[in-house]
Amino acid sequence: MNYFRYVIINIIGTLLRGFPLPCKTGLRIIGNPNRNSPVFLTCNFTVTVERVKKALQGMDAYLLVANSKGDNVWCSATGGHFTNHSVISVIKTSGIEELVDHRNVVLPQLAATGIQERIIRKKTGWKAIWGPVYAKDIPEFVENHFDKTPEMRQVEFPLTQRLEMAIMWAFPFSIIASLLVLPFKPTLFFPLNIIIWGWSLFLFIAFPLYSKWYGRNKKTSGFSKCTVIFDLGFVPVVTWIIFMIILVAGSIAFHQFHIDFIIGWGITSLAVLLLISIDLMGSTPIYKSGLHEDRYLKVILNSDKCKGAASCEAVCPKNCFDVKQGRSASIPRLDECVQCGACIVQCPFDALYFESPKGEILTPESIREYKLNLIGKRLVKVNKQ
Amino acid sequence: MSTYVFMKILESAPDRYDKGIDILSFGKLSQAYDRLISHIQKGQKVLDIGCGTGALTIKAARRDAKVTGIDINPQMLDIAKKHAEAFHLSDRIRFIEAGVAEMESMEAKSFDVVMSGLCFSELSEDEQAYALKQIKRILKDGGMLLLADETIAGNFFLRAINLPVKIVIKIITYVLTQTGTHAIRHLPEKVKKAGFKIESLRFNKMQDFIEVTAIKYKEAGS
């Protein structure tokens, strides 16, 4: 384990988190594996690969890095860059089949939006086991005989991840802003960067405080097209109004009130705010992006088709499902759903589908075949009911 | 994430893929493909690996060949199917959603020609080796392998001249098609190593585009 490399990649990866950072695909050897050692698989986002390698430290295992065009597992699987083909290809071409006697591969759970366990088995004979959401849970998962606790299946948005997301937005914009102002008005450099970094950090660090108002009651999805501009509704706007009040009050208090100063910073700060909050919801793992049409969809369960396979329960990152052994599933926590579609993709009986508010149906086949592009458009027509 | 702005304008990449690629190659790609398919005879069975929107596939089918196109992108294949219909070639072309790693199920010695345009450069080294092995298996004795792809000039000065152009083209390519292009290294050597005999090699002036035609000879003892 090369700690220097780990730290450098994490720093670069965090600063440029919004961009793909691909690494070489293929086989990685962890420790001294033998013919019975477990095989793990992940995407080729360099940061993810480093984190998985760190989680596997001390174990003897094989790690397959599959092509996801350098994006993280969840985005690439949902966006059609991390597919059945990526997994089949790395299994077939990496030489792993000659190295182990078993045919089990642990896939990251969040890849379930794009990779079908059944297709992998049919095309390669390998059995896909859904591993935990977070790489750090892998050792416990292995100790647990490859069984997941509900906690291991759940996506969270802890402080460290919120900081990563704040940096993801702030860094590129601070670079662009700095390049724009430095040649002309260097004095603007510090105030502008303070606004960009301060606001990004504030919006993400304070996220649990204000998300409570919107969150669970599901009003967010009724928030209309405006959410594209003011994602998460009016919270960013409220922070802007507070900022303006402080700006005006401060300038009056210090006898520096100039109307062009106020207007100038008013417009600048609003522009900054719009840029950093353009996809606030989509930057969290617990809301569907405000840019994605899928946020209006609802998962529907056809109980007649359900035979209690519980594949939905195994892949749902919000633990929405309850499946009593051998009986039909239920969705008691449907209001937690982030419309990722993993349950629909995996269901062996096609018992789940999406329904739009207009009553249009997105069939399991179309969800499996047509992925979301970066602006959340699924390139497929829906069937009218 | 910052590409949102571009995406908003472009929305769906596959639609623009053809135009994007054609503009970026200044129409040279189409000429290269024409040279490649000139080796195809009437009635031959042809496989197009990484057919994308079907540019090469359709050219081959217009020479009265029976063509199978494989690609991993279902949206590209949808467009390819539409193109095939527009040329009334649907009965001569079959499109399958599959990658090179899924060629195992194809019958041995079942194709006269295997061709691939701008696909090998998107494969990893492992995948390239695997693909060449499979191609050799499914080609008939005396069958042809036709490749056209981006490569890296061997000449240092040409590389230096290419670099700034490359960077600009890379950015435009990404915006238009949302796929990166990676030039392939040592393609003729790889083809040779896989047991083919190189028939002809052609580089463009800047030496960053290569066309390979190779032949699978009958193996001794088989």
mmCIF file of all heavy atoms in Angstrom, chain B residues 35-55:
data_model
loop_
_atom_site.group_PDB
_atom_site.id
_atom_site.type_symbol
_atom_site.label_atom_id
_atom_site.label_comp_id
_atom_site.label_asym_id
_atom_site.label_seq_id
_atom_site.Cartn_x
_atom_site.Cartn_y
_atom_site.Cartn_z
ATOM 1 N N ARG B 35 -11.659 3.029 -48.466
ATOM 2 C CA ARG B 35 -10.491 2.211 -48.846
ATOM 3 C C ARG B 35 -10.563 0.828 -48.190
ATOM 4 O O ARG B 35 -10.296 -0.187 -48.814
ATOM 5 C CB ARG B 35 -9.202 2.912 -48.423
ATOM 6 C CG ARG B 35 -8.714 3.954 -49.409
ATOM 7 C CD ARG B 35 -7.306 4.391 -49.084
ATOM 8 N NE ARG B 35 -7.220 5.071 -47.803
ATOM 9 C CZ ARG B 35 -7.412 6.370 -47.626
ATOM 10 N NH1 ARG B 35 -7.702 7.150 -48.658
ATOM 11 N NH2 ARG B 35 -7.333 6.921 -46.434
ATOM 12 N N LEU B 36 -10.960 0.812 -46.920
ATOM 13 C CA LEU B 36 -11.036 -0.464 -46.199
ATOM 14 C C LEU B 36 -12.026 -1.415 -46.847
ATOM 15 O O LEU B 36 -11.714 -2.570 -47.131
ATOM 16 C CB LEU B 36 -11.455 -0.239 -44.748
ATOM 17 C CG LEU B 36 -10.407 0.087 -43.698
ATOM 18 C CD1 LEU B 36 -11.005 -0.111 -42.318
ATOM 19 C CD2 LEU B 36 -9.169 -0.773 -43.828
ATOM 20 N N ILE B 37 -13.242 -0.905 -47.084
ATOM 21 C CA ILE B 37 -14.288 -1.811 -47.564
ATOM 22 C C ILE B 37 -14.089 -2.198 -49.028
ATOM 23 O O ILE B 37 -14.757 -3.092 -49.524
ATOM 24 C CB ILE B 37 -15.712 -1.240 -47.348
ATOM 25 C CG1 ILE B 37 -15.845 0.129 -47.981
ATOM 26 C CG2 ILE B 37 -16.087 -1.199 -45.895
ATOM 27 C CD1 ILE B 37 -16.853 0.178 -49.050
ATOM 28 N N SER B 38 -13.135 -1.547 -49.719
ATOM 29 C CA SER B 38 -12.874 -1.935 -51.107
ATOM 30 C C SER B 38 -12.351 -3.374 -51.185
ATOM 31 O O SER B 38 -12.351 -3.992 -52.235
ATOM 32 C CB SER B 38 -11.867 -0.981 -51.750
ATOM 33 O OG SER B 38 -10.605 -1.125 -51.139
ATOM 34 N N HIS B 39 -11.897 -3.923 -50.037
ATOM 35 C CA HIS B 39 -11.418 -5.309 -50.011
ATOM 36 C C HIS B 39 -12.557 -6.317 -49.925
ATOM 37 O O HIS B 39 -12.345 -7.511 -50.030
ATOM 38 C CB HIS B 39 -10.491 -5.530 -48.813
ATOM 39 C CG HIS B 39 -9.253 -4.687 -48.859
ATOM 40 N ND1 HIS B 39 -8.150 -5.045 -49.585
ATOM 41 C CD2 HIS B 39 -8.956 -3.499 -48.278
ATOM 42 C CE1 HIS B 39 -7.221 -4.117 -49.447
ATOM 43 N NE2 HIS B 39 -7.683 -3.161 -48.657
ATOM 44 N N ILE B 40 -13.766 -5.830 -49.661
ATOM 45 C CA ILE B 40 -14.890 -6.743 -49.441
ATOM 46 C C ILE B 40 -15.540 -7.147 -50.760
ATOM 47 O O ILE B 40 -15.802 -6.300 -51.613
ATOM 48 C CB ILE B 40 -15.923 -6.085 -48.485
ATOM 49 C CG1 ILE B 40 -15.293 -5.911 -47.107
ATOM 50 C CG2 ILE B 40 -17.198 -6.916 -48.405
ATOM 51 C CD1 ILE B 40 -16.115 -5.083 -46.161
ATOM 52 N N GLN B 41 -15.782 -8.446 -50.914
ATOM 53 C CA GLN B 41 -16.385 -8.962 -52.149
ATOM 54 C C GLN B 41 -17.875 -9.229 -51.929
ATOM 55 O O GLN B 41 -18.318 -9.419 -50.804
ATOM 56 C CB GLN B 41 -15.725 -10.292 -52.557
ATOM 57 C CG GLN B 41 -14.216 -10.322 -52.488
ATOM 58 C CD GLN B 41 -13.578 -9.416 -53.531
ATOM 59 O OE1 GLN B 41 -14.114 -9.267 -54.638
ATOM 60 N NE2 GLN B 41 -12.453 -8.804 -53.174
ATOM 61 N N LYS B 42 -18.576 -9.290 -53.009
ATOM 62 C CA LYS B 42 -20.016 -9.556 -52.986
ATOM 63 C C LYS B 42 -20.306 -10.894 -52.291
ATOM 64 O O LYS B 42 -19.608 -11.884 -52.530
ATOM 65 C CB LYS B 42 -20.528 -9.595 -54.429
ATOM 66 C CG LYS B 42 -22.028 -9.601 -54.507
ATOM 67 C CD LYS B 42 -22.484 -9.579 -55.958
ATOM 68 C CE LYS B 42 -23.986 -9.827 -55.971
ATOM 69 N NZ LYS B 42 -24.544 -9.813 -57.304
ATOM 70 N N GLY B 43 -21.322 -10.882 -51.428
ATOM 71 C CA GLY B 43 -21.773 -12.117 -50.795
ATOM 72 C C GLY B 43 -20.950 -12.579 -49.603
ATOM 73 O O GLY B 43 -21.276 -13.583 -48.975
ATOM 74 N N GLN B 44 -19.879 -11.869 -49.263
ATOM 75 C CA GLN B 44 -19.045 -12.294 -48.143
ATOM 76 C C GLN B 44 -19.732 -12.052 -46.801
ATOM 77 O O GLN B 44 -20.579 -11.171 -46.668
ATOM 78 C CB GLN B 44 -17.706 -11.527 -48.179
ATOM 79 C CG GLN B 44 -16.742 -12.103 -49.197
ATOM 80 C CD GLN B 44 -15.365 -11.470 -49.067
ATOM 81 O OE1 GLN B 44 -15.254 -10.277 -48.826
ATOM 82 N NE2 GLN B 44 -14.335 -12.275 -49.247
ATOM 83 N N LYS B 45 -19.325 -12.854 -45.825
ATOM 84 C CA LYS B 45 -19.828 -12.651 -44.461
ATOM 85 C C LYS B 45 -18.850 -11.768 -43.702
ATOM 86 O O LYS B 45 -17.659 -12.085 -43.603
ATOM 87 C CB LYS B 45 -19.984 -14.004 -43.748
ATOM 88 C CG LYS B 45 -21.384 -14.572 -43.886
ATOM 89 C CD LYS B 45 -21.589 -15.730 -42.947
ATOM 90 C CE LYS B 45 -21.931 -15.248 -41.548
ATOM 91 N NZ LYS B 45 -22.044 -16.359 -40.590
ATOM 92 N N VAL B 46 -19.367 -10.664 -43.195
ATOM 93 C CA VAL B 46 -18.496 -9.659 -42.597
ATOM 94 C C VAL B 46 -18.941 -9.349 -41.174
ATOM 95 O O VAL B 46 -20.135 -9.269 -40.886
ATOM 96 C CB VAL B 46 -18.537 -8.352 -43.436
ATOM 97 C CG1 VAL B 46 -17.648 -7.280 -42.809
ATOM 98 C CG2 VAL B 46 -18.124 -8.615 -44.872
ATOM 99 N N LEU B 47 -17.957 -9.186 -40.275
ATOM 100 C CA LEU B 47 -18.257 -8.754 -38.902
ATOM 101 C C LEU B 47 -17.658 -7.374 -38.678
ATOM 102 O O LEU B 47 -16.494 -7.130 -38.990
ATOM 103 C CB LEU B 47 -17.665 -9.748 -37.890
ATOM 104 C CG LEU B 47 -17.832 -9.360 -36.413
ATOM 105 C CD1 LEU B 47 -19.293 -9.448 -35.983
ATOM 106 C CD2 LEU B 47 -16.970 -10.239 -35.510
ATOM 107 N N ASP B 48 -18.484 -6.452 -38.152
ATOM 108 C CA ASP B 48 -18.006 -5.107 -37.833
ATOM 109 C C ASP B 48 -17.971 -4.968 -36.310
ATOM 110 O O ASP B 48 -19.012 -4.952 -35.657
ATOM 111 C CB ASP B 48 -18.946 -4.064 -38.458
ATOM 112 C CG ASP B 48 -18.453 -2.638 -38.231
ATOM 113 O OD1 ASP B 48 -17.333 -2.475 -37.694
ATOM 114 O OD2 ASP B 48 -19.188 -1.704 -38.593
ATOM 115 N N ILE B 49 -16.759 -4.882 -35.767
ATOM 116 C CA ILE B 49 -16.618 -4.817 -34.307
ATOM 117 C C ILE B 49 -16.638 -3.361 -33.856
ATOM 118 O O ILE B 49 -15.845 -2.550 -34.324
ATOM 119 C CB ILE B 49 -15.313 -5.503 -33.863
ATOM 120 C CG1 ILE B 49 -15.362 -6.985 -34.228
ATOM 121 C CG2 ILE B 49 -15.098 -5.321 -32.364
ATOM 122 C CD1 ILE B 49 -14.091 -7.724 -33.936
ATOM 123 N N GLY B 50 -17.527 -3.047 -32.936
ATOM 124 C CA GLY B 50 -17.665 -1.664 -32.472
ATOM 125 C C GLY B 50 -18.259 -0.809 -33.566
ATOM 126 O O GLY B 50 -17.739 0.231 -33.924
ATOM 127 N N CYS B 51 -19.410 -1.266 -34.105
ATOM 128 C CA CYS B 51 -19.964 -0.632 -35.302
ATOM 129 C C CYS B 51 -20.527 0.757 -35.032
ATOM 130 O O CYS B 51 -20.701 1.538 -35.952
ATOM 131 C CB CYS B 51 -21.043 -1.519 -35.910
ATOM 132 S SG CYS B 51 -22.447 -1.778 -34.807
ATOM 133 N N GLY B 52 -20.818 1.058 -33.745
ATOM 134 C CA GLY B 52 -21.335 2.390 -33.412
ATOM 135 C C GLY B 52 -22.611 2.683 -34.161
ATOM 136 O O GLY B 52 -23.550 1.884 -34.152
ATOM 137 N N THR B 53 -22.647 3.796 -34.882
ATOM 138 C CA THR B 53 -23.860 4.163 -35.602
ATOM 139 C C THR B 53 -23.902 3.548 -36.997
ATOM 140 O O THR B 53 -24.755 3.891 -37.799
ATOM 141 C CB THR B 53 -23.979 5.689 -35.709
ATOM 142 O OG1 THR B 53 -22.762 6.183 -36.264
ATOM 143 C CG2 THR B 53 -24.187 6.313 -34.352
ATOM 144 N N GLY B 54 -22.942 2.667 -37.272
ATOM 145 C CA GLY B 54 -23.046 1.853 -38.477
ATOM 146 C C GLY B 54 -22.389 2.402 -39.728
ATOM 147 O O GLY B 54 -22.680 1.936 -40.833
ATOM 148 N N ALA B 55 -21.493 3.369 -39.581
ATOM 149 C CA ALA B 55 -20.868 3.985 -40.754
ATOM 150 C C ALA B 55 -20.195 2.929 -41.639
ATOM 151 O O ALA B 55 -20.465 2.842 -42.841
ATOM 152 C CB ALA B 55 -19.849 5.026 -40.311
#
